[in-house]
Amino acid sequence: MNANKKVSVKSLLLIVLAMVMVLVTACSKGSDSAATGNADEKNEDGTYKNNLTISYAGITDISKAKLDDKFHKTFSDKFNITWDYNYVDWDSWGEKLRLWINSGDLPDFASWNYVNGDAMNYIDQGLFYKFPDDWKERWPNAAKAYASTGLGDRLEEKVGGTYVLPRPVYFQNKPADPLLNQIGVIAIRKDWAKEVGFELKDAYTVSELMEYAELVKEKDPGKVGSKLIPMSFNAGDILTGFVMANNAHARVESAFYKGEDGKYKWGPADESTLTGLKLAQQAYKEGLLDPEFYTWKNNEGGDAFKVTGISAIGGLGGLASYRQDMDTAMKKNLNLNSSDVVHEALILGEDGKYRNLEQVNFWSSIVFSPNISDEKFERVMDMIDYSVTDEAQKFLNLGIEGEDWKDENGELVSLLPEGTTLEDKYPGRFEGLYVLGDDFSVINPAIKKEFRDRSVELYKEKATLSTEGNEMAAYDWDFQLYSSKAKDQANFTYETEYANLILQKGDLETNWKNWVASKQSIVQPLIDELNSEFAK
Amino acid sequence: MKPAAASPGQAKGEESKFKRLFVEIWKYRMTYTLLIPGLIWLILFAYLPMGGLSLAFKHYRANDGIWGSQWIALENFKYVFRDPAFAAAVWRTLYVNIIKLFITFPFPILLALLLNELRMRRYKKVLQTAVTFPHFLSWIIVSGIIINVLAYDGLVNSFLALLGLPTINFLGSEQTFYPMIILTDIWKSTGWGAIVFLAAISGIDQEQYEAAQIDGATRLQQMFRVTLPNIMPTVTIMFILSVGGLMSSGFDQIFNLANAATQNVSQVLDVYIYRITFQSSTDFGFSTAVSLFRSIVNMVLLLLADRAAKWLGGDGLFR
């Protein structure tokens, strides 16, 4: 009996101890999350006194990177930083950051795909670090790039301070005015076009492209056989190439727009959206698209053009760097000189007008954890400020002077061996934290001049065509900076919705009308809100 | 009219019932002590997180936390019920899972009965391992394999083409989606599900088989007259539990096998919750409201199935 009592008391004590341990573990907070810190200290020669371990979440894959190579070391030594890099896969970027931000687990700073509704929400909740009021004076280069985005100042007005650094797409090398989004440039096999007697132009209507695809399907100039995919478009390319070409307001970025009467409308319900859908369905039924295009992820569509070489038309995009990547891929996989076989062009709507989105000058953003210490924040800002300077931009995009590039009478010349890129030499370069690579790609000698020139030419062509046709979807700051529950709810993945309509059985027009009607209960409340807030 | 007061005898009976229970617990206190870690786990990880359900009635702000966020009554539900995709997802979930339940549920029982009849122990073990193995593969891997096998240029269609037969659009057809879901579910879960029934079979008193043999029962008759009736309580409980999960469909499976073409048949409630939580702007209050609705329906279904089982003369989940 006594023995039993002892055992019982012991076991009860053990259980209580275990409970306490569980509770302590569950309720304790990581000691490193405290937001303490002193101002960043420097040595007399301007170098940093303390080595800081800084955590960063970014979408650059550094699995192949050697963080002690010359490139990475230059930055980590200059700023005396030991990186704790958290790679975030593109597909889970939004989800992961959402969870980290909401749970207070954000690394010291992160690359975040800016969503206005979320931004307002997070700022309101104090989930982002608030910049010191004098930050623009302390980091003037970064402030200049920040001002070029257009978003920064507007957001500051709304929330009363700086919490987000929108990343500028272009800073020093804007290719055209007005600037349109880089999307909507396609690549055409010009050798096949010649063989089937198809004329090369700078812009084609969707029907003209389908004619070319039909010709290729019929004559198979590349002797591809049953594997041929005349148009290797995935769901996203179909949205851009078929639907947006006919209605600039068919995309999520511009779906809610102010009509000529000053009232808000929903673009996917416009008749011109149906025009694009009909063409896409026709292309699908005629076997011009891949029968399973809707299962394609990321690069699968593009790979059919540049890796396996089984496609006559592929989505490309307007950046010179994309064209360079295509060149490298075609040489490597198909042993083809892409300059001989690729023609880049724009897509016009069936009425001959060009449609695209006004390029707002930012894409994604840099945000800081509210728990970051002042010392770490200042160190990162120093690095960002440096990264936008001419000297740093050359280093980030060209590598080491004299080794990877040289300046010949003001002309930048790449010294990298033919066919190699800076990414091959220094993989996982994530240090270009602020200004996007698009800016430098306009002048980057690592990209062939003909590609850079063509890219600028097409940007200019887009600007001319959209000015003439007056069909550009202007960036609506009122709508973009508006946030409400109704707006959050009326958020659809249009490429999936359109792909589903294209593939549905029955009459497309009836299906589309039913689809539009089915969305009204969540679309109309937002339209009503927008009209009451902003309508003329 | 005054409600009838409980009779003193009734109250005394209740009191003595609790007393008996307490005496019973005290008597076997060492055994009951073993329950405590499980109870702690249950409280920490099942009951305490239920506090988070209050988010369904709040405007959640991470900084204010679950308890500090502002109460907004039923506003989240107003938005939930406004979305036609929600109602469609609810009906679709019930539809898919009822079909799944009635088709897939008998398979593990059948497999357990058949495995029990195997006399070669080694063969039985090998077979059981083979049928249980798919359970350990994640749906991401399984769906990857299935997509490769059933694609236009996959194994099945290549074989059909070789025979000169027309190819079939398995992945992009609404008609083939549910059969694909059900067949893959049977393949993946039958072996694992059979373990519970095999355990129940192993607990059957062998004397019943000996008596049946003396009475001249064949093996098939023994299976249906001895084995099956003996495992019926387990079958009933497993069925009730399955009914209780009717609103929670296999998210991993459907999410990984779905695509734009099958969107209209694949957006079940779990996929809907995922979409509103992670693909639109974050609104944890909204998604918790949907989850709470799902849990309530699940609970109602569970209680109904329990009642039905008792009404039919079987054992229920709750005594």
Side-chain angles (χ1 to χ4, degrees):
Chain A
M1 183 74 185
N2 269 348
N4 265 357
K5 247 184 194 169
K6 270 181 194 166
V7 172
S8 169
V9 170
K10 266 186 189 170
S11 51
L12 277 171
L13 277 172
L14 272 173
I15 288 156
V16 170
L17 188 69
M19 270 184 77
V20 170
M21 280 170 73
V22 169
L23 284 171
V24 166
T25 314
C27 304
S28 67
K29 221 178 170 192
S31 59
D32 57 349
S33 61
T36 55
N38 310 310
D40 209 358
E41 285 179 65
K42 283 186 179 176
N43 294 315
E44 277 176 12
D45 60 356
T47 55
Y48 295 91
K49 221 170 205 172
N50 303 323
N51 179 272
L52 297 177
T53 300
I54 296 179
S55 55
Y56 170 60
I59 51 172
T60 305
D61 184 0
I62 63 155
S63 56
K64 288 181 189 156
K66 293 181 189 108
L67 293 181
D68 58 351
D69 69 20
K70 237 174 172 177
F71 181 90
H72 294 288
K73 225 172 163 320
T74 303
F75 271 97
S76 49
D77 285 353
K78 186 175 174 68
F79 294 95
N80 204 3
I81 291 173
T82 303
W83 289 109
D84 170 11
Y85 188 90
N86 299 270
Y87 168 59
V88 186
D89 186 50
W90 173 268
D91 289 338
S92 60
W93 187 22
E95 283 170 44
K96 267 196 183 153
L97 266 287
R98 209 163 258 169
L99 285 174
W100 285 347
I101 294 167
N102 274 287
S103 59
D105 290 332
L106 195 66
D108 290 325
F109 74 114
S111 163
W112 176 58
N113 198 5
Y114 181 85
V115 178
N116 186 64
D118 284 346
M120 304 302 258
N121 202 354
Y122 297 154
I123 292 168
D124 178 44
Q125 295 182 52
L127 297 173
F128 289 155
Y129 178 85
K130 188 182 182 195
F131 286 45
D133 292 339
D134 61 347
W135 79 269
K136 288 180 189 168
E137 288 88 60
R138 290 168 69 187
W139 295 285
N141 297 317
K144 205 173 154 199
Y146 169 86
S148 75
T149 63
L151 172 66
D153 293 337
R154 286 181 170 90
L155 200 57
E156 273 179 46
E157 243 174 65
K158 279 206 147 210
V159 297
T162 308
Y163 294 84
V164 176
L165 286 183
R167 300 183 68 184
V169 181
Y170 291 103
F171 182 39
Q172 309 280 19
N173 305 296
K174 197 175 173 184
D177 193 21
L179 186 65
L180 278 91
N181 199 298
Q182 58 83 16
I183 56 171
V185 174
I186 48 158
I188 291 176
R189 280 295 289 257
K190 68 178 174 193
D191 51 337
W192 293 3
K194 201 175 165 192
E195 272 193 55
V196 299
F198 183 73
E199 187 194 350
L200 292 177
K201 296 195 288 186
D202 279 343
Y204 299 95
T205 63
V206 179
S207 302
E208 284 173 333
L209 281 179
M210 285 166 65
E211 269 170 43
Y212 170 53
E214 285 281 6
L215 282 170
V216 170
K217 193 182 165 203
E218 197 185 307
K219 297 181 179 169
D220 192 8
K223 308 278 177 288
V224 178
S226 64
K227 291 203 177 305
L228 177 73
I229 306 167
M231 303 175 94
S232 57
F233 280 15
N234 62 21
D237 295 328
I238 288 172
L239 165 56
T240 306
F242 284 84
V243 191
M244 186 189 82
N246 288 286
N247 183 5
H249 301 290
R251 299 180 63 89
V252 69
E253 297 90 340
S254 57
F256 291 89
Y257 69 100
K258 219 180 247 182
E260 284 173 4
D261 58 358
K263 297 259 190 293
Y264 272 89
K265 295 185 170 33
W266 187 47
D270 295 345
E271 282 287 330
S272 46
T273 298
L274 180 63
T275 308
L277 289 173
K278 279 183 176 169
L279 287 163
Q281 191 181 59
Q282 189 190 336
Y284 183 70
K285 284 185 173 168
E286 287 174 5
L288 306 181
L289 297 168
D290 185 88
E292 286 171 342
F293 74 86
Y294 46 84
T295 61
W296 280 352
K297 295 207 164 46
N298 297 333
N299 303 323
E300 280 179 87
D303 286 352
F305 189 90
K306 65 184 183 195
V307 177
T308 50
I310 56 172
S311 173
I313 306 168
L316 172 62
L319 300 184
S321 55
Y322 294 171
R323 184 65 186 83
Q324 180 70 49
D325 290 346
M326 180 173 271
D327 183 68
T328 312
M330 287 185 109
K331 189 155 282 167
K332 190 174 161 189
N333 299 292
L334 303 168
N335 198 23
L336 287 173
N337 178 1
S338 78
S339 303
D340 299 336
V341 296
V342 175
H343 173 70
E344 298 144 271
L346 306 175
I347 310 180
L348 304 172
E350 285 308 276
D351 56 2
K353 289 183 176 175
Y354 181 72
R355 293 176 178 83
N356 202 334
L357 312 167
E358 181 186 9
Q359 173 67 63
V360 59
N361 195 31
F362 76 87
W363 180 81
S364 79
S365 63
I366 295 289
V367 289
F368 292 84
S369 161
N371 300 320
I372 192 173
S373 66
D374 291 345
E375 197 181 8
K376 284 184 182 180
F377 170 76
E378 286 169 13
R379 192 75 61 91
V380 175
M381 283 306 291
D382 285 353
M383 184 168 156
I384 286 178
D385 196 62
Y386 170 70
S387 78
V388 302
T389 60
D390 274 354
E391 179 195 324
Q393 280 292 303
K394 281 177 186 156
F395 184 80
L396 285 164
N397 293 288
L398 296 172
I400 298 155
E401 188 174 6
E403 204 173 298
D404 303 317
W405 64 281
K406 63 179 178 183
D407 190 332
E408 260 181 15
N409 309 321
E411 184 87 6
L412 301 173
V413 179
S414 174
L415 298 175
L416 293 173
E418 178 76 16
T420 60
T421 63
L422 200 61
E423 186 58 25
D424 298 329
K425 191 169 178 186
Y426 309 115
R429 290 168 302 128
F430 64 88
E431 288 86 349
L433 294 172
Y434 197 37
V435 174
L436 296 171
D438 307 31
D439 185 62
F440 201 80
S441 73
V442 178
I443 55 163
N444 191 343
I447 298 172
K448 283 185 184 172
K449 191 170 183 312
E450 60 167 297
F451 300 157
R452 284 185 277 136
D453 290 348
R454 180 66 177 156
S455 168
V456 172
E457 212 174 282
L458 287 174
Y459 268 114
K460 286 183 174 154
E461 180 79 1
K462 281 178 180 181
T464 311
L465 287 171
S466 63
T467 310
E468 282 168 11
N470 200 24
E471 290 286 347
M472 178 178 79
Y475 195 81
D476 182 349
W477 286 102
D478 284 342
F479 172 76
Q480 298 296 341
L481 294 179
Y482 179 70
S483 83
S484 77
K485 225 172 167 85
K487 188 181 172 191
D488 291 345
Q489 203 174 18
N491 191 1
F492 307 107
T493 314
Y494 289 103
E495 59 190 56
T496 311
E497 300 281 349
Y498 293 149
N500 183 261
L501 282 169
I502 292 162
L503 298 162
Q504 261 183 44
K505 283 187 176 157
D507 176 48
L508 176 62
E509 188 163 348
T510 313
N511 292 337
W512 170 74
K513 280 182 178 162
N514 291 338
W515 175 77
V516 169
S518 74
K519 302 289 183 202
Q520 285 310 305
S521 62
I522 41 183
V523 164
Q524 196 55 46
L526 174 60
I527 290 180
D528 293 342
E529 278 183 15
L530 293 170
N531 281 333
S532 72
E533 285 277 333
F534 309 114
K536 283 173 193 164
Chain B
M1 207 163 93
K2 269 185 164 180
S7 67
Q10 224 178 344
K12 208 175 173 187
E14 289 288 313
E15 196 188 326
S16 61
K17 203 171 152 189
F18 276 110
K19 204 172 173 185
R20 270 208 310 275
L21 179 69
F22 184 75
V23 168
E24 186 92 344
I25 290 174
W26 185 248
K27 188 176 168 189
Y28 297 107
R29 56 189 179 280
M30 291 310 293
T31 317
Y32 274 98
T33 308
L34 296 173
L35 256 182
I36 293 176
L39 283 175
I40 292 171
W41 180 89
L42 202 68
I43 290 164
L44 278 180
F45 297 106
Y47 282 90
L48 285 184
M50 275 189 205
L53 287 174
S54 64
L55 281 184
F57 308 97
K58 288 187 166 198
H59 172 62
Y60 177 67
R61 288 163 42 95
N63 244 19
D64 296 337
I66 295 172
W67 311 116
S69 294
Q70 181 201 350
W71 290 99
I72 52 166
L74 296 174
E75 200 185 318
N76 284 322
F77 289 91
K78 191 181 92 187
Y79 281 92
V80 170
F81 291 112
R82 192 166 82 179
D83 187 355
F86 167 72
V90 169
W91 292 120
R92 197 172 295 123
T93 308
L94 282 173
Y95 177 72
V96 176
N97 284 339
I98 289 171
I99 294 177
K100 247 171 128 176
L101 179 67
F102 283 99
I103 296 178
T104 60
F105 187 76
F107 277 88
I109 305 168
L110 201 66
L111 180 69
L113 291 173
L114 293 174
L115 282 172
N116 184 51
E117 293 304 317
L118 286 176
R119 291 290 169 257
M120 288 169 68
R121 286 179 67 86
R122 183 168 287 181
Y123 179 55
K124 186 178 170 179
K125 277 186 177 172
V126 169
L127 199 64
Q128 200 179 345
T129 308
V131 292
T132 310
F133 173 71
H135 168 79
F136 297 100
L137 297 174
S138 80
W139 273 112
I140 295 175
I141 294 168
V142 174
S143 60
I145 296 168
I146 289 164
I147 288 167
N148 277 314
V149 169
L150 297 181
Y152 259 114
D153 53 358
L155 197 72
V156 176
N157 273 321
S158 301
F159 187 65
L160 289 174
L162 203 70
L163 297 175
L165 297 167
T167 53
I168 300 168
N169 182 6
F170 291 108
L171 301 175
S173 161
E174 292 182 356
Q175 282 72 36
T176 55
F177 189 72
Y178 290 149
M180 186 166 71
I181 292 291
I182 290 163
L183 288 173
T184 51
D185 197 35
I186 290 172
W187 175 72
K188 195 168 180 302
S189 61
T190 298
W192 179 256
I195 292 174
V196 178
F197 300 111
L198 279 169
I201 290 171
S202 68
I204 299 172
D205 185 356
Q206 291 303 308
E207 284 180 7
Q208 291 187 38
Y209 290 103
E210 284 162 19
Q213 278 164 11
I214 292 165
D215 289 348
T218 61
R219 286 188 57 189
L220 198 66
Q221 283 169 326
Q222 286 176 43
M223 189 197 283
F224 285 103
R225 298 286 166 85
V226 179
T227 315
L228 199 55
N230 270 295
I231 63 166
M232 272 320 275
T234 311
V235 171
T236 311
I237 286 171
M238 294 309 287
F239 185 80
I240 294 169
L241 289 175
S242 303
V243 171
L246 273 183
M247 289 291 280
S248 325
S249 48
F251 170 77
D252 299 6
Q253 180 193 19
I254 294 184
F255 182 75
N256 286 301
L257 286 170
N259 54 53
T262 54
Q263 183 180 247
N264 293 337
V265 291
S266 63
Q267 189 163 298
V268 290
L269 203 55
D270 284 340
V271 176
Y272 175 81
I273 293 171
Y274 168 81
R275 190 174 65 75
I276 58 169
T277 311
F278 295 113
Q279 292 185 339
S280 308
S281 279
T282 322
D283 191 341
F284 289 109
F286 184 85
S287 33
T288 310
V290 179
S291 295
L292 179 61
F293 175 84
R294 185 189 59 176
S295 303
I296 289 170
V297 176
N298 266 339
M299 195 181 74
V300 170
L301 287 171
L302 184 106
L303 293 174
L304 283 177
D306 182 63
R307 285 274 155 192
K310 283 174 185 162
W311 185 67
L312 290 168
D315 281 335
L317 207 55
F318 310 104
R319 304 266 168 199

